[in-house]
Amino acid sequence: MNPLLQVRNLITRFHTPEGTVYAVNGISLHVNEGETLAIVGESGCGKSVTMLSILRLIPIPPGEIVAGEAILHDRDLLKMKDAELENIRGKEVSMVFQDPMTSLNPVLTIGRQISESLRVHLGMEADMAKRRTIELLEQVGISDAEHRLGDYPHQFSGGMRQRVMIAMALACAPSLLIADEPTTALDVTIQAQIMELVIQLRQQLGMAIIWITHDLGVVAGIAHRVIVMYAGFIVEEALVEDLYENPKHPYTASLLAALPRVDRRRDRRLKSIPGAPPSLLVEPKACPFSLRCEFALEQCAGENPPLEQISPTRKLACWVDISTGKAR
Amino acid sequence: MNSSQPLVVVQNLVKHFPITRGLVFERTVGSVRAVDGISFEIFRGETLGLVGESGCGKTTAGRTILGLYPPTAGTIVIDGTKVDFSSRKSMQSVRRKAQMIFQDPYASLNPRWTVGAIVAEPLRVHKLITNPKERTERVKELLSLVGISNRLVNRFPHEFSGGQRQRIGIARALACQPLFIVCDEPISALDVSIQAQVVNLLEDLQSRFGLTYLFIAHDLSMVRHICNRVAVMYLGLIVELGSRDEVYEHPQHPYTQALLSSVPIPDPKKDRMRKRIILSGDVPSPINPPSGCRFHPRCPIAMEICSQTEPEWKEVAPEHWAACHAL
Amino acid sequence: MKPDEPPAPHALLNADELETPPLTIAQLTWRRFRRHKMALFGATMLFLLVLYAFAGTIFFSEAYANKTDTKARLQPPSAAHPFGTDTVGRDILARTIYGGQISIIIGLTAMLVETIVGVVIGALSGYYGGKLDSLLMRVTEAIIVIPQIFLLLVMAKYFGGKVPNITLLGRTFSGSVVVIIMIIGLTSWPYLARIVRAEFLSLKENEFILAARAIGTPTHEIILRHILPNSIAPIIVAATLGVASAITTEAYISFLGLGVRPPTATWGNMLEGAYNYIENAYWLWVFPGFLIAITVLSINFLGDGLRDALDPHSRAI
């Protein structure tokens, strides 16, 4: 089966007064139809930049997509003309961002913002667009939708605004929804509401989702497959159960060991990872995690391990087998 | 750990912020009832967790306890002395004993001061060490306690990362050797791998210096890890209070139950098997809290009495209290 | 709460782990300033102008600058008088040198008056708020609302002849110099006061101020050591531009005949006499006018560069 989206060797850099930021260093990934792929990593790992690069939403300059291809339905998003790409954004591929307050236009009503998308992308008439907008708002759980069409974003709470964002993203029934930390700024009970909504909608609409987050708990709840990123590289890729049960990359294992649990009694100290992520201003030559890795071998400081397919459903970029501590 | 005399006693603490209208003549048209009457004790050497979602009043409570906001009503006793918010002398002595660690590592350090000056400020202000050379020595000691090298004393905050800045903030809080530290969301702004570093540091410092913490947070997993007892706040009131494992394993208040069931668990099989209690609606505003039990509009088991009378604070199990009509 | 294992020693952060080299805020600011070509040009020009006005005294004495010689009046530029002579035969070149001194001194001193008053009022207003703020802001607005020219003219007329000449450092200055400085300073501070007030209003909500209060830092220290250093940037920029504004203001008051009285020269009062001779004797106004323009322009470039360099939001080196 051909994947819905196939990204190969994406390299993105930013040219700043302090130097070149090596934000994304050769990422290859794919998403299949109807599947939810989670991209997890801490700040600066490049997860957001990857998605923004694919949709060409990064400012150029100072950004530069040095290389790579992003194939959606047999067309390369990175090489398309702007007009063609604008046709795809919002229609076949939609994005939902972290802060709905800055992604929604504060001076336009909600109704207008959603219907605009419908009219521009699907060519709907004003009346049809209005009806469809009400349908969408109800679908995302906003009660009394008809009366809320004339409301402005600031009249909604954080959770409601995020629902509106989702409604806007789903307006044209995209085949791929990219959600960049959509629940990070929300309270935990509201986050649970939104996650339940998304799970329900993906069942109904069969769309694929790329969910970007730093929260390993959210990933466990929503993903089918997971990619772990660090310093602009993919370090591990696995099905969600496999990743949590048997993490193979030292970074993944350390992250999981650093997490406290709400469902278990405290049994030991959290295992912290010493040091801090490397500066992205330095061109990466060695394994970016080697300085903080408890399993690091000499090899790791010399050469960056490539991402290899170690089983039909797993990829790993590491020289070491962490169950033995020796080279793989 | 439970010595007979609690270090901090808070009784019926209330903090309202007036809402004013009018440009020339301001008149008060209402108030944000951020904290509406909370009472609890914190014992020496323990960590009490104060949890809740946005708008519940936990940050306001922390700041009011330290006198950063003058309370609207209620009393606070720290180390046996009742705090007199109107007396500068009383406040200064409270400040030596009770300090705060802030949430935002980028905003809580003065960008124009060196790290050394920042950590030395409490020593200077309270005239604990008047000789500048001795002060610098003490500052270096404090910085190495939190894992920051002496050679960085003259650097500026912008040269450090978030986790490092937070450690500098901790060093500052320790300068006057306080007994009690209010940790206001100290790790929320940090990456996951750095959170564990800072939490471990806080624990080590606690065991080394016998510190008492009020740990304000919204991350329930972290609170379970680090706290001895937990208080759950909703819309300005405490709805449940008890020992950590008791509250997490046998939550009595429906809000606590819903809150705990919403926390994602980093274990796919377990997480998907859970029965989540999804609350309807949004967190209401503290300007106009609902009548009776404030949680009743969203409560899955609300009864008629819940909209009429506020529930009583009852001991539902040894050392475990909750306020709910269903108990 | 006991740790479950012996606590691991916390990894000491080495100096090498900090990525940026040790740079003070001053060094960062200088580097950013250096990148601004126009600002460097402005700074250079100002240096040259100051050199001209103050080192030029080596070549001409003040007595010479004030020496009248009606036989040599209104002569165009020549070898003897490179900038020509004015309506009473004084050498214009020499007068631009001494006039430059006065104009620059007026600019700097008026800026000082304006800055001190503006900062004090703005800081108190912004920090304390409430009734004090309302009162001070009404006063500020009252001064802004009245056109500055009107205030200047009224004050100039009233105080004009009343201040005696001052002798300082062996030179005599017309009392009107002091009058002008005070007038300009006391009518220009509202602009700075509002900027400072805005800075204080926003800065006092910052967490590091809350932290200072939590430590117990007294209010005067919070204002002077915490907030003020963080608001220095707009103050410096406003002060710099204030010098330009003061020089310009002096120029037009003097042009209207109400400014500094002769024989003390300023670039502005040199223009006064030129009014009737605009076409016939261009040298009367071209030289002082050009100097004023270049000075003001250079100050503006400098101010732009300072504004960018001091921007606290820029973290670039």
Side-chain angles (χ1 to χ4, degrees):
Chain A
M1 178 179 69
N2 261 349
L4 176 62
L5 172 71
Q6 173 81 53
V7 177
R8 286 201 189 90
N9 199 34
L10 178 65
I11 300 180
T12 303
R13 298 192 183 142
F14 290 89
H15 301 286
T16 69
E18 291 114 312
T20 307
V21 177
Y22 296 87
V24 179
N25 300 308
I27 299 283
S28 299
L29 57 88
H30 70 277
V31 186
N32 299 316
E33 277 179 46
E35 135 180 271
T36 298
L37 171 71
I39 303 186
V40 71
E42 298 174 295
S43 48
C45 71
K47 52 194 195 297
S48 290
V49 177
T50 302
M51 286 305 122
L52 292 172
S53 300
I54 291 172
L55 289 181
R56 285 178 27 204
L57 290 172
I58 56 167
I60 296 181
E64 185 196 349
I65 301 180
V66 175
E69 45 179 35
I71 317 265
L72 179 79
H73 295 322
D74 303 321
R75 273 128 72 224
D76 187 354
L77 297 172
L78 298 179
K79 305 221 171 29
M80 267 183 206
K81 291 206 169 38
D82 284 346
E84 236 192 305
L85 187 59
E86 268 168 41
N87 213 6
I88 295 202
R89 278 197 224 125
K91 192 163 160 211
E92 285 174 56
V93 180
S94 297
M95 259 188 104
V96 176
F97 297 93
Q98 174 173 353
D99 183 0
M101 202 54 217
T102 50
S103 334
L104 290 170
N105 189 332
V107 302
L108 292 178
T109 62
I110 299 294
R112 169 103 182 258
Q113 294 188 52
I114 300 182
S115 354
E116 185 176 329
S117 183
L118 292 168
R119 290 206 311 265
V120 164
H121 284 297
L122 300 179
M124 274 194 194
E125 299 280 323
D127 271 345
M128 253 237 85
K130 182 170 166 191
R131 264 178 281 139
R132 176 84 182 116
T133 302
I134 297 176
E135 244 177 62
L136 284 165
L137 288 177
E138 280 170 356
Q139 210 175 12
V140 298
I142 294 186
S143 51
D144 203 17
E146 189 164 357
H147 292 125
R148 304 220 68 176
L149 286 180
D151 283 346
Y152 291 88
H154 70 266
Q155 294 173 274
F156 290 80
S157 69
M160 302 276 269
R161 284 200 288 260
Q162 205 55 304
R163 287 172 193 264
V164 169
M165 283 298 303
I166 293 174
M168 267 177 73
L170 297 180
C172 306
S175 30
L176 174 62
L177 174 69
I178 301 181
D180 189 355
E181 306 256 26
T183 57
T184 299
L186 302 175
D187 282 318
V188 74
T189 50
I190 310 293
Q191 171 174 271
Q193 284 178 2
I194 300 291
M195 281 177 64
E196 189 184 89
L197 172 68
V198 170
I199 292 175
Q200 196 186 30
L201 288 172
R202 79 174 172 194
Q203 265 167 5
Q204 275 174 20
L205 305 171
M207 68 193 165
I209 303 178
I210 298 182
W211 189 290
I212 300 168
T213 180
H214 65 273
D215 187 335
L216 282 161
V218 168
V219 168
I222 202 148
H224 297 129
R225 202 159 45 92
V226 185
I227 284 179
V228 180
M229 281 186 72
Y230 188 80
F233 292 94
I234 295 182
V235 296
E236 188 163 6
E237 181 181 326
L239 295 178
V240 70
E241 298 90 359
D242 294 338
L243 189 84
Y244 284 80
E245 234 166 278
N246 188 14
K248 287 195 184 292
H249 193 280
Y251 176 60
T252 316
S254 304
L255 267 189
L256 288 169
L259 290 180
R261 294 285 292 250
V262 75
D263 59 325
R264 285 206 215 121
R265 294 208 172 191
R266 175 204 169 105
D267 51 2
R268 54 178 163 68
R269 263 162 87 86
L270 297 174
K271 196 151 167 252
S272 68
I273 311 181
S279 163
L280 295 174
L281 288 169
V282 178
E283 184 167 6
K285 294 275 175 6
C287 170
F289 190 61
S290 54
L291 291 170
R292 305 170 79 190
C293 181
E294 54 178 322
F295 299 100
L297 304 171
E298 246 188 71
Q299 204 176 6
C300 304
E303 210 189 320
N304 194 6
L307 187 66
E308 291 173 344
Q309 188 99 33
I310 58 173
S311 87
T313 55
R314 272 194 103 137
K315 292 195 188 136
L316 176 65
C318 187
W319 297 124
V320 179
D321 178 345
I322 65 176
S323 55
T324 61
K326 301 208 175 59
R328 267 190 327 112
Chain B
M1 200 168 317
N2 272 11
S3 51
S4 51
Q5 268 284 57
L7 179 62
V8 178
V9 180
V10 174
Q11 266 168 333
N12 296 317
L13 187 65
V14 175
K15 180 62 195 167
H16 291 173
F17 295 100
I19 307 173
T20 55
R21 291 262 182 279
L23 290 172
V24 181
F25 299 107
E26 291 186 350
R27 49 183 214 289
T28 306
V29 295
S31 35
V32 178
R33 296 159 66 169
V35 176
D36 222 2
I38 58 174
S39 308
F40 56 86
E41 297 168 328
I42 314 183
F43 296 93
R44 252 170 242 272
E46 85 165 328
T47 301
L48 175 68
L50 189 56
V51 299
E53 298 178 295
S54 44
C56 72
K58 55 192 192 298
T59 292
T60 306
R63 293 183 182 179
T64 311
I65 288 173
L66 288 189
L68 292 172
Y69 302 144
T72 310
T75 53
I76 298 173
V77 177
I78 297 184
D79 199 22
T81 333
K82 183 160 164 227
V83 180
D84 180 1
F85 293 93
S86 56
S87 143
R88 182 162 169 79
K89 215 165 137 226
S90 171
M91 289 314 299
Q92 282 301 77
S93 92
V94 165
R95 303 249 186 270
R96 266 202 299 276
K97 297 186 199 160
Q99 275 299 311
M100 193 169 212
I101 301 172
F102 295 85
Q103 173 175 5
D104 187 346
Y106 294 88
S108 56
L109 306 179
N110 189 331
R112 299 269 178 197
W113 285 26
T114 59
V115 157
I118 290 172
V119 176
E121 191 179 13
L123 299 169
R124 211 171 29 80
V125 164
H126 291 282
K127 302 191 174 40
L128 295 171
I129 302 180
T130 42
N131 180 324
K133 266 181 108 181
E134 278 173 39
R135 222 166 29 217
T136 312
E137 281 313 303
R138 175 86 181 120
V139 165
K140 289 184 182 171
E141 254 177 57
L142 288 163
L143 285 175
S144 47
L145 269 179
V146 299
I148 303 244
S149 150
N150 281 354
R151 293 187 284 157
L152 304 173
V153 168
N154 291 317
R155 302 288 195 105
F156 288 87
H158 68 263
E159 303 183 64
F160 296 84
S161 72
Q164 292 155 6
R165 287 189 223 201
Q166 205 61 317
R167 294 201 248 157
I168 294 168
I170 293 174
R172 172 176 62 187
L174 291 175
C176 352
Q177 299 178 301
L179 302 167
F180 171 53
I181 300 186
V182 174
C183 308
D184 187 2
E185 308 248 27
I187 54 175
S188 313
L190 305 175
D191 275 323
V192 171
S193 60
I194 311 291
Q195 287 185 5
Q197 279 180 19
V198 174
V199 163
N200 288 345
L201 172 64
L202 285 173
E203 286 187 331
D204 292 340
L205 293 169
Q206 180 175 46
S207 75
R208 190 161 165 175
F209 297 111
L211 298 168
T212 305
Y213 291 145
L214 175 64
F215 194 85
I216 300 173
H218 62 266
D219 179 349
L220 287 149
S221 316
M222 194 55 88
V223 164
R224 182 165 196 181
H225 179 79
I226 192 179
C227 300
N228 303 107
R229 287 192 303 139
V230 178
V232 181
M233 272 186 86
Y234 186 81
L235 265 196
L237 295 176
I238 297 184
V239 297
E240 187 156 1
L241 169 64
S243 80
R244 169 201 46 206
D245 291 327
E246 252 296 295
V247 174
Y248 276 79
E249 285 171 10
H250 307 290
Q252 297 298 308
H253 195 282
Y255 176 63
T256 316
Q257 291 165 352
L259 198 59
L260 289 173
S261 80
S262 311
V263 178
I265 297 179
D267 180 336
K269 294 206 184 94
K270 250 191 135 178
D271 194 82
R272 287 163 210 223
M273 267 183 356
R274 298 157 97 182
K275 200 174 137 295
R276 281 203 152 85
I277 303 171
I278 305 280
L279 293 177
S280 58
D282 290 304
V283 184
S285 143
I287 296 176
N288 216 355
S291 58
C293 169
R294 297 181 185 202
F295 186 57
H296 84 259
R298 302 170 81 199
C299 183
I301 58 170
M303 307 177 285
E304 212 189 300
I305 186 179
C306 302
S307 58
Q308 293 159 353
T309 11
E310 273 197 42
E312 257 178 57
W313 186 243
K314 283 194 227 128
E315 190 167 2
V316 293
E319 304 286 319
H320 183 174
W321 288 270
C324 178
H325 288 297
L327 298 168
Chain C
M1 167 166 298
K2 287 196 174 45
D4 308 282
E5 316 155 346
H10 285 278
L12 274 192
L13 178 65
N14 290 317
D16 333 299
E17 283 183 43
L18 285 191
E19 275 117 34
T20 55
L23 285 179
T24 62
I25 301 225
Q27 285 169 317
L28 273 180
T29 306
W30 170 242
R31 286 200 186 191
R32 282 201 295 265
F33 182 77
R34 264 189 349 208
R35 285 208 298 249
H36 215 275
K37 296 286 182 294
M38 293 310 276
L40 288 174
F41 171 75
T44 317
M45 285 311 299
L46 284 172
F47 176 71
L48 292 173
L49 282 161
V50 168
L51 204 62
Y52 175 79
F54 288 87
T57 58
I58 298 174
F59 302 102
F60 302 97
S61 69
E62 193 179 6
Y64 178 70
N66 291 342
K67 190 180 78 159
T68 61
D69 181 3
T70 37
K71 288 196 305 293
R73 59 193 296 267
L74 289 175
Q75 279 180 8
S78 63
H81 299 282
F83 283 6
T85 59
D86 69 1
T87 52
V88 288
R90 296 179 286 213
D91 179 44
I92 290 186
L93 175 58
R95 281 184 81 71
T96 57
I97 289 176
Y98 284 91
Q101 287 181 10
I102 303 294
S103 290
I104 292 174
I105 289 175
I106 289 180
L108 289 172
T109 325
M111 175 272 279
L112 236 84
V113 171
E114 152 191 353
T115 303
I116 292 175
V117 177
V119 168
V120 169
I121 293 188
L124 293 175
S125 234
Y127 189 79
Y128 287 106
K131 292 205 170 57
L132 180 63
D133 179 29
S134 297
L135 182 64
L136 288 174
M137 280 303 105
R138 300 296 89 77
V139 170
T140 311
E141 281 153 24
I143 298 186
I144 292 179
V145 154
I146 307 175
Q148 194 185 24
I149 298 187
F150 183 72
L151 281 174
L152 291 164
L153 295 179
V154 167
M155 287 170 82
K157 204 104 172 82
Y158 186 73
F159 290 105
K162 299 210 170 131
V163 179
N165 289 358
I166 300 179
T167 313
L168 199 63
L169 299 171
R171 292 173 52 184
T172 309
F173 299 97
S174 160
S176 50
V177 172
V178 175
V179 173
I180 290 296
I181 290 175
M182 295 310 286
I183 293 175
I184 296 179
L186 292 173
T187 53
S188 314
W189 62 261
Y191 171 66
L192 190 59
R194 283 171 132 193
I195 293 179
V196 172
R197 175 178 176 271
E199 282 289 309
F200 269 70
L201 276 179
S202 79
L203 282 168
K204 79 172 179 184
E205 302 303 329
N206 267 327
E207 249 178 38
F208 68 84
I209 299 295
L210 198 61
R213 290 178 52 217
I215 290 172
T217 310
T219 308
H220 69 267
E221 269 198 45
I222 292 184
I223 293 182
L224 291 171
R225 298 175 81 141
H226 277 287
I227 305 188
L228 206 52
N230 275 294
S231 50
I232 215 82
I235 295 177
I236 289 183
V237 176
T240 308
L241 299 174
V243 176
S245 158
I247 292 179
T248 316
T249 307
E250 183 274 320
Y252 66 68
I253 301 188
S254 299
F255 175 71
L256 293 173
L258 293 165
V260 177
R261 301 254 174 277
T264 310
T266 73
W267 288 336
N269 70 12
M270 291 171 74
L271 291 176
E272 181 193 358
Y275 185 64
N276 295 319
Y277 299 92
I278 292 183
E279 278 168 40
N280 341 18
Y282 68 88
W283 57 93
L284 290 178
W285 55 267
V286 160
F287 296 109
F290 175 73
L291 286 165
I292 293 177
I294 277 278
T295 306
V296 169
L297 201 62
S298 303
I299 294 178
N300 277 311
F301 287 150
L302 180 66
D304 269 344
L306 282 176
R307 180 185 285 123
D308 286 342
L310 291 168
D311 181 357
H313 296 297
S314 165
R315 295 180 67 197
I317 294 178

